[in-house]
Amino acid sequence: MTDQTLQTRATASAIKPKLSRDDWVMRAFILGIGLWLVVTLLLPLYSMLSKSAQNKDGAFVGLANYIEYFSTPALFHSINNSFFIAIVSTIITISLASVFAFILSRSMIPFKGVFKGIALLPLLAPSLLPGISFVYLFGRQGVLKDWIGDYSIYGPIGIVMGEVFYTFPHALMILIAAFSIADARLYEATVVLRTSRIRTFFTVTLPGIKYGLISAIFVVFTLVITDFGIPKVIGGQYNVLATDIYKQVIGQQNFEMGAVVSVVLLIPAILAFAVDRFVQRKQVAMLTARAVPYEPKPHALLDKIFFVYCCVIGLAIIGIIGMAGYASFVTFWPYNLELSLNNYDFDVMDGGGWSSFYNSLKMAAYTAIFGTVIIFTGAYMVEKAKGFKFMRGIIQFLCMIPMAVPGMVLGLAYIFFFNHPDNPLGIIYGTMPILVIVTIAHFYTVSHLTAMTALKQMDPEFETVSASLKVPFFRTFLKVTVPVCMPAILDISIYLFVNAMTTVSAVIFLYSTDTSLASIAALNMDDAGDVAPAAAMCMVIVATSAGVRVLHALLTRGMARKTQAWRKR
Amino acid sequence: MDNRGNDASDKAYLKVKNVTKNFGTFTALKDISLEVFEGEFVCFLGPSGCGKTTLLRAIAGLDIQSAGSVSQGGKDISNLPASERDFGIVFQSYALFPNLSVADNVGYGLVNMRSNKADIRKRVDELLSLVGLNDQGDKYPAQLSGGQQQRVALARALAMSPGLLLLDEPLSALDAKVRVHLRHEMKELQRRLGVTTIMVTHDQEEALTMADRIVVMKDGVIEQVGTPEEIYRHPATPFVAEFVGTMNFLKASKGEGGQVLLGGHALSLSDREKEKLNGKDILACVRPEDIAVRNVDQATDNSFEATVKELEFLGSFCRASLNYGDGESQIAADFSINLVRDKGIEEGGTIRVALPENRIHIFSQG
């Protein structure tokens, strides 16, 4: 009897599950990804924070740098400027984009696909392109100079206009998504209850897009306040935080003050990001599986007005890109309007020549390949591993940080971390790998979220079934997960490629003469007064991004036929 | 192989001993012990949240128990990961790999085991014909009907000739008609292969028709284990009585000489039930279909007059609501259409009914 009780107690003691080989491999991968994120993100940011509390000799000085910053009007005035620009640009962009998104998702105008395609074009260009274009349109010798009267385009007006152009597609994509989750049954209910169109708008439409709208506002705000390209090109004497970092670091070699400005810029970016994440979580909960998609109905007069609106916006976007394109072919603006390819002869200009373009191609390709592999594999491990919750939670958090870190700040943080004499990783400083690594880190979050969304749609029991069939998880990963997620994987790679082609902010502190990039070359040529060649380089970037996008579309379609045949019934 | 579970001399193939599973502060399984015999078909039956799936996942090693042991075929597998256990599994979602053909799905595990392609091909064909999908090997899962997908999942689970087949609500994603057809087919297949099988379900009909033994669970505890007949005829607890089939729960009190008083009527009981008359609150239970009307007169044991308050037409039978005793107490009875016609039963009428003594179950409390 006693034996029996003892035995029962013994068998009822806590069980320590034995880990399978798959569990070990997954945990090793998770640790690897965690280490990667710590080295490429956390440690650099830490070095930047500590640098902001040091003097030139590296001694700890507490908040002295911050006190100096806030007692120098020329410096802290930029905070006002940055917020002013960001708020005004956000209001304009959101107003224009909401109407545009509303029209595309809720009206019956023709050529919706064309309008959407045009509206997304700015994504393919580096952010300095609108700046250059506005110089030709409204600058001292601009073709439409009279439109802005006595005001100068060099300053807040130019910056705001450029930012609106640059952030429009970002806001549009979020808003279209928000508009298209509408439930038709709610609208049918308003008709049955004889509700006026205006009341319907305020009681159904607006609440429906509320979260999307808030999200779009914060995304645009963050993009504007952290943007460097536009204020650099067209800001004139109007200083903002992002250009201040550049001036402190490149102009005055005052790294400590650069770090301080970075921290100041980091704060609004993190706040905006936190609000956005909070709101996005709510948005998901609004989707119900039983919602019936809304089908727009034609409305003769409104559809005409909407069509004109879309034409105006579309023409403005094409006009801005077209102006830069036209200017790039003009021999010598505005005296010799004959068209030639002179401006494309980059090798005779300062800035790196055509080799910087080839560098960009290489950098973008490496970023797309290695970035996709690292990010997708990392997301898979975080999503599918069993147990190890604490570590997975930490990684999930680390993956969100890059979204909140402005490119300039990340780039500067890399200088402090990788250029430190005691850091053995310093050998990659000034090489191609560091550009690839910083770009992957900079664009990690969106790619990670795309991967997570795709992975969450996979049946969670695939891994279980594999385990019961004694098939190691990596075989299932390669044979099932990767093929099924191929559309998302291609999306990630194209996103990384295009952003690597167009980015300026993160890489501006990290390139060397051997690894100059096309977007940086454009910036430097513009800085040196070679505005037309800068426009030409921007156009090369746009053409490349567009070409890759088209290639991607064809590839996706081809792949779809081959690897996604199972989707067809 | 039939009813092998009844034969206690058989050695248990799967032994679950004192298994407890906690999720944080929530206890999903409380000290569960259970034996499953070789070749047996066992159903875990219970409402959602009763712990039946948790128990299945513990047996599979997918969510290993917090305490307690599991052994299979004499080997202690308590802490082994799923990949080191011997089982095949079919999920409610089937979890078929969408980008692989039916044949590749079925042969998924075989590729790892055997090098010879012809062997694999042969085994896959064998399995597909076993589940009646001979010519469907080249199709993708999305091109098959739900019932066919379910059979592919079953073939895949059987491919490695596992010692234990686990089925997690395998039929609940299907239409009612297909479900009835498939449960018969699955049972046949299981009988033919003799593979020890555990199925989780919340559908009592499924459990009653398919299982050799049913394990009824509630709130992480086993309420009763028994053959379908035992579970239905002799429910061990009010919960089992209510969850499996329909049951009248009638307030009663203890009468003289092992009788029970129901609305003023003294009813005699079977010996087995007499012993249960040992609490303050007594419930006399009888299934609606066990209430007799034919050949019932004043002399019939356990009979009394009742008025028909409502008669609900349910297709093949009618469910009557009967008032008895003080006129307040109600009892539900199922009458065949035939009976209703023959006896001229109608709302407002009075009939004499009997509660056969071997059909009354007693539950006492307090």
Side-chain angles (χ1 to χ4, degrees):
Chain A
M1 186 67 204
T2 332
D3 275 352
Q4 184 67 40
T5 1
L6 275 178
Q7 204 188 344
T8 315
R9 201 170 292 163
T11 49
S13 66
I15 289 285
K16 197 167 189 304
K18 183 185 160 204
L19 294 179
S20 67
R21 205 183 48 170
D22 281 2
D23 289 332
W24 286 114
V25 175
M26 279 195 170
R27 283 171 191 210
F29 264 103
I30 288 178
L31 285 178
I33 294 288
L35 194 67
W36 170 269
L37 287 167
V38 166
V39 172
T40 64
L41 192 66
L42 219 51
L43 292 179
L45 287 176
Y46 171 75
S47 351
M48 192 200 67
L49 279 179
S50 60
K51 195 76 175 178
S52 74
Q54 289 173 3
N55 65 14
K56 284 211 186 323
D57 304 323
F60 182 78
V61 293
L63 292 176
N65 292 329
Y66 289 89
I67 293 165
E68 189 193 335
Y69 177 81
F70 283 104
S71 50
T72 315
L75 284 174
F76 76 73
H77 213 72
S78 301
I79 300 179
N80 283 341
N81 289 352
S82 268
F83 270 87
F84 174 73
I85 294 287
I87 290 168
V88 173
S89 309
T90 305
I91 292 171
I92 298 174
T93 304
I94 295 295
S95 314
L96 293 176
S98 334
V99 177
F100 205 87
F102 176 83
I103 295 171
L104 288 189
S105 46
R106 298 288 177 84
S107 81
M108 292 286 281
I109 64 158
F111 307 118
K112 276 190 206 169
V114 177
F115 284 127
K116 189 177 171 190
I118 292 172
L120 297 182
L121 278 180
L123 290 177
L124 305 175
S127 69
L128 56 152
L129 181 132
I132 291 171
S133 189
F134 288 138
V135 170
Y136 282 106
L137 286 169
F138 307 110
R140 284 178 203 105
Q141 291 153 339
V143 277
L144 303 174
K145 190 172 169 304
D146 304 338
W147 286 24
I148 58 165
D150 291 336
Y151 295 102
S152 166
I153 194 74
Y154 296 97
I157 296 176
I159 300 178
V160 168
M161 284 166 65
E163 298 294 358
V164 169
F165 171 87
Y166 161 63
T167 56
F168 186 79
H170 294 273
L172 186 67
M173 284 193 293
I174 298 171
L175 289 166
I176 286 180
F179 273 116
S180 47
I181 59 167
D183 189 342
R185 291 173 307 175
L186 290 178
Y187 288 90
E188 282 162 6
T190 63
V191 174
V192 174
L193 295 169
R194 293 182 204 168
T195 315
S196 72
R197 269 177 172 255
I198 290 173
R199 182 141 182 262
T200 305
F201 179 80
F202 281 105
T203 53
V204 178
T205 311
L206 208 53
I209 63 151
K210 186 171 63 186
Y211 296 120
L213 193 62
I214 297 172
S215 184
I217 288 172
F218 283 98
V219 165
V220 171
F221 180 87
T222 312
L223 280 172
V224 176
I225 207 163
T226 60
D227 181 51
F228 164 72
I230 294 166
K232 175 81 182 70
V233 170
I234 208 167
Q237 299 305 311
Y238 196 81
N239 292 329
V240 294
L241 291 170
T243 49
D244 276 356
I245 300 177
Y246 184 74
K247 280 179 191 156
Q248 289 298 328
V249 173
I250 302 292
Q252 308 185 9
Q253 299 285 312
N254 188 344
F255 291 94
E256 293 70 26
M257 197 47 75
V260 170
V261 185
S262 293
V263 174
V264 171
L265 179 57
L266 200 51
I267 292 164
I270 287 177
L271 282 180
F273 166 77
V275 173
D276 180 44
R277 289 309 303 166
F278 178 74
V279 167
Q280 290 230 334
R281 214 162 288 166
K282 297 216 156 168
Q283 171 91 52
V284 175
M286 277 190 45
L287 280 164
T288 63
R290 286 157 44 119
V292 179
Y294 178 83
E295 298 270 353
K297 292 177 192 64
H299 186 291
L301 177 65
L302 277 180
D303 281 354
K304 275 194 192 95
I305 299 173
F306 289 159
F307 186 74
V308 171
Y309 178 85
C310 288
C311 285
V312 171
I313 299 264
L315 282 176
I317 292 168
I318 290 181
I320 291 166
I321 297 175
M323 185 66 231
Y326 173 66
S328 73
F329 290 110
V330 167
T331 312
F332 189 56
W333 187 273
Y335 309 107
N336 180 356
L337 293 181
E338 217 169 297
L339 299 185
S340 74
L341 283 174
N342 289 358
N343 293 323
Y344 285 83
D345 197 1
F346 300 130
D347 288 336
V348 300
M349 333 246 178
D350 292 336
W354 275 101
S355 71
S356 66
F357 172 68
Y358 301 131
N359 280 337
S360 260
L361 272 186
K362 256 191 266 173
M363 202 273 275
Y366 289 143
T367 303
I369 294 165
F370 292 111
T372 308
V373 170
I374 292 170
I375 293 168
F376 189 80
T377 314
Y380 175 83
M381 300 299 165
V382 171
E383 172 67 21
K384 301 290 179 187
K386 298 175 68 178
F388 223 34
K389 275 211 181 106
F390 181 69
M391 197 62 204
R392 283 158 63 199
I394 288 182
I395 292 184
Q396 190 71 0
F397 174 74
L398 288 178
C399 290
M400 293 297 123
I401 295 179
M403 185 81 119
V405 178
M408 300 290 294
V409 176
L410 193 63
L412 186 58
Y414 267 49
I415 299 186
F416 296 143
F417 180 66
F418 287 98
N419 201 26
H420 196 280
D422 296 337
N423 189 345
L425 293 171
I427 46 164
I428 65 165
Y429 192 75
T431 64
M432 182 60 92
I434 199 172
L435 297 177
V436 174
I437 290 170
V438 77
T439 311
I440 293 173
H442 188 186
F443 299 106
Y444 203 103
T445 307
V446 172
S447 313
H448 177 76
L449 291 176
T450 309
M452 286 302 262
T453 309
L455 286 167
K456 277 192 196 299
Q457 287 166 355
M458 301 278 289
D459 194 314
E461 308 296 4
F462 282 165
E463 279 69 27
T464 313
V465 167
S466 310
S468 81
L469 295 171
K470 317 274 178 283
V471 176
F473 84 91
F474 52 84
R475 209 173 94 86
T476 306
F477 175 69
L478 293 175
K479 282 215 67 162
V480 179
T481 313
V482 169
V484 172
C485 291
M486 198 40 97
I489 292 174
L490 285 175
D491 280 351
I492 295 171
S493 60
I494 193 74
Y495 168 84
L496 288 173
F497 187 95
V498 170
N499 275 303
M501 271 318 281
T502 57
T503 190
V504 183
S505 55
V507 289
I508 189 115
F509 296 133
L510 299 171
Y511 74 95
S512 68
T513 43
D514 294 336
T515 58
S516 179
L517 300 171
S519 52
I520 293 172
L523 193 82
N524 288 340
M525 288 191 278
D526 175 76
D527 224 13
D530 294 333
V531 184
M537 191 57 105
C538 284
M539 290 319 288
V540 172
I541 295 172
V542 171
T544 312
S545 305
V548 173
R549 275 250 175 236
V550 170
L551 202 67
H552 168 252
L554 293 176
L555 202 66
T556 311
R557 203 169 297 170
M559 282 257 207
R561 226 175 294 136
K562 264 182 134 181
T563 69
Q564 309 279 308
W566 51 270
R567 281 190 199 273
K568 274 186 243 116
R569 285 213 159 243
Chain B
M1 201 156 299
D2 281 4
N3 288 332
R4 234 177 142 162
N6 285 342
D7 191 351
S9 66
D10 256 307
K11 215 169 154 274
Y13 176 68
L14 184 81
K15 280 188 197 161
V16 175
K17 241 190 202 165
N18 307 108
V19 160
T20 296
K21 174 75 187 177
N22 304 312
F23 291 108
T25 56
F26 173 70
T27 307
L29 295 175
K30 290 172 202 151
D31 201 26
I32 298 265
S33 294
L34 179 73
E35 294 192 336
V36 177
F37 300 94
E38 189 146 11
E40 202 180 13
F41 194 126
V42 169
C43 272
F44 294 171
L45 177 66
S48 56
C50 71
K52 54 190 192 299
T53 299
T54 311
L55 182 55
L56 187 88
R57 292 180 74 87
I59 291 170
L62 299 172
D63 290 312
I64 291 177
Q65 69 276 12
S66 316
S69 71
V70 179
S71 70
Q72 183 182 351
K75 186 181 156 207
D76 185 10
I77 55 167
S78 304
N79 65 348
L80 293 186
S83 54
E84 292 175 34
R85 299 189 185 197
D86 176 23
F87 69 94
I89 191 162
V90 176
F91 290 102
Q92 185 177 355
S93 65
Y94 313 140
L96 293 176
F97 304 124
N99 60 324
L100 300 183
S101 70
V102 166
D104 287 343
N105 261 288
V106 174
Y108 195 74
L110 299 171
V111 175
N112 259 39
M113 306 292 290
R114 311 170 197 211
S115 48
N116 191 334
K117 272 195 175 169
D119 275 1
I120 294 170
R121 186 75 226 178
K122 201 166 145 249
R123 174 79 177 133
V124 168
D125 286 345
E126 200 179 295
L127 286 159
L128 284 177
S129 72
L130 194 66
V131 296
L133 290 173
N134 304 44
D135 310 319
Q136 315 281 343
D138 295 329
K139 288 190 178 169
Y140 288 106
Q143 295 166 317
L144 301 181
S145 71
Q148 288 172 319
Q149 290 183 24
Q150 201 270 350
R151 284 187 259 185
V152 175
L154 190 60
R156 184 178 63 182
L158 291 169
M160 317 273 283
S161 310
L164 184 62
L165 179 61
L166 303 177
L167 309 169
D168 185 4
E169 306 244 2
L171 299 170
S172 28
L174 298 169
D175 298 339
K177 282 237 162 114
V178 184
R179 197 151 58 196
V180 171
H181 175 71
L182 264 181
R183 73 186 180 209
H184 177 73
E185 230 176 56
M186 280 176 74
K187 177 65 191 163
E188 262 317 294
L189 187 64
Q190 189 268 339
R191 223 186 284 255
R192 208 157 11 122
L193 299 174
V195 56
T196 312
T197 302
I198 298 175
M199 179 170 93
V200 161
T201 181
H202 62 264
D203 182 338
Q204 42 146 326
E205 213 174 292
E206 225 167 87
L208 290 172
T209 52
M210 295 173 80
D212 295 326
R213 277 197 304 155
I214 297 176
V215 177
V216 185
M217 296 180 68
K218 182 201 171 196
D219 297 336
V221 206
I222 293 181
E223 289 272 309
Q224 187 176 5
V225 181
T227 63
E229 178 108 8
E230 278 167 9
I231 298 276
Y232 194 81
R233 286 278 165 247
H234 305 290
T237 64
F239 172 78
V240 176
E242 194 186 17
F243 191 75
V244 182
T246 316
M247 185 67 92
N248 285 298
F249 288 91
L250 309 167
K251 267 209 164 136
S253 54
K254 192 173 175 174
E256 301 283 307
Q259 286 195 319
V260 67
L261 292 175
L262 186 66
H265 307 290
L267 306 179
S268 51
L269 300 170
S270 64
D271 294 341
R272 168 182 182 144
E273 302 297 322
K274 272 178 193 160
E275 292 167 18
K276 298 189 191 163
L277 286 169
N278 52 7
K280 258 188 256 162
D281 300 321
I282 294 173
L283 285 176
C285 300
V286 63
R287 296 206 183 271
E289 72 269 24
D290 287 336
I291 294 172
V293 179
R294 276 188 210 276
N295 307 322
V296 172
D297 55 32
Q298 301 282 350
T300 313
D301 282 346
N302 289 359
S303 70
F304 51 82
E305 300 278 325
T307 43
V308 181
K309 194 164 169 254
E310 259 179 48
L311 206 54
E312 191 184 4
F313 177 65
L314 288 167
S316 59
F317 67 94
C318 286
R319 174 153 297 168
S321 225
L322 306 176
N323 278 15
Y324 66 94
D326 51 11
E328 292 292 309
S329 310
Q330 275 193 23
I331 184 167
D334 288 351
F335 299 144
S336 72
I337 300 295
N338 221 328
L339 179 73
V340 172
R341 208 179 297 131
D342 288 357
K343 288 274 174 182
I345 297 171
E346 53 184 16
E347 287 184 3
T350 305
I351 50 171
R352 189 160 189 91
V353 296
L355 310 187
E357 79 169 29
N358 61 349
R359 292 289 189 248
I360 302 176
H361 313 281
I362 298 295
F363 296 110
S364 306
Q365 247 187 1

